[in-house]
Amino acid sequence: QVQLVESGGGSVQSGGSLRLSCSGSSSFFGSFCMGWFRQAPGKEREGVATIDSDGRTTYALSVEGRFTIARDRTKTTLFLEMNNLKPEDTAMYYCAADIRAKTPFCAYERVGTDFAYRGQGTQVTVSS
């Protein structure tokens, strides 16, 4: 059973930064496609970013240039560095994983709907 646990959410003011982390089993972290999606109340899931097994990344246009996804293979941790946060970034953020590790499957458009595994989420709130 694949288990993912997110941490690092919180409340910040507009323009601030947060770093989300996602921990999982070492047996798969390096070979899976990993990503983040978010969901705000009353809204659909929105894919944010992905990183494939070769380290290639994809980003939603709404976060490109502000967010950075990275994976620490040694420590089996996935990160999402979020800078210049805006009130519209407020949402529950989820870590997700799938064994289909390469593009084109491993892309932000799919992380919120097609990935096989996801965590319980961590809340991010950005005030203006």
Side-chain angles (χ1 to χ4, degrees), residues 33-50:
C33 172
M34 305 292 298
W36 295 91
F37 69 93
R38 63 189 182 186
Q39 188 166 24
K43 295 188 177 181
E44 295 185 351
R45 293 178 184 178
E46 178 188 14
V48 174
T50 58

Side-chain angles (χ1 to χ4, degrees), residues 8-74:
S11 297
V12 296
Q13 291 189 329
S14 183
S17 299
L18 282 173
R19 189 191 200 198
L20 305 184
S21 300
C22 172
S23 298
S25 315
S26 61
S27 62
F28 73 89
F29 236 73
S31 58
F32 276 36
C33 172
M34 305 292 298
W36 295 91
F37 69 93
R38 63 189 182 186
Q39 188 166 24
K43 295 188 177 181
E44 295 185 351
R45 293 178 184 178
E46 178 188 14
V48 174
T50 58
I51 183 166
D52 73 9
S53 57
D54 292 328
R56 282 188 291 263
T57 58
T58 71
Y59 295 93
L61 291 177
S62 59
V63 306
E64 195 161 21
R66 300 188 297 122
F67 290 12
T68 302
I69 188 171
R71 172 164 50 196
D72 183 329
R73 294 173 187 260
T74 301

Side-chain angles (χ1 to χ4, degrees), residues 38-45 89-92 94 123-125:
R38 63 189 182 186
Q39 188 166 24
K43 295 188 177 181
E44 295 185 351
R45 293 178 184 178
D89 294 318
T90 295
M92 186 72 80
Y94 298 88
Q123 178 68 37
V124 172
T125 303

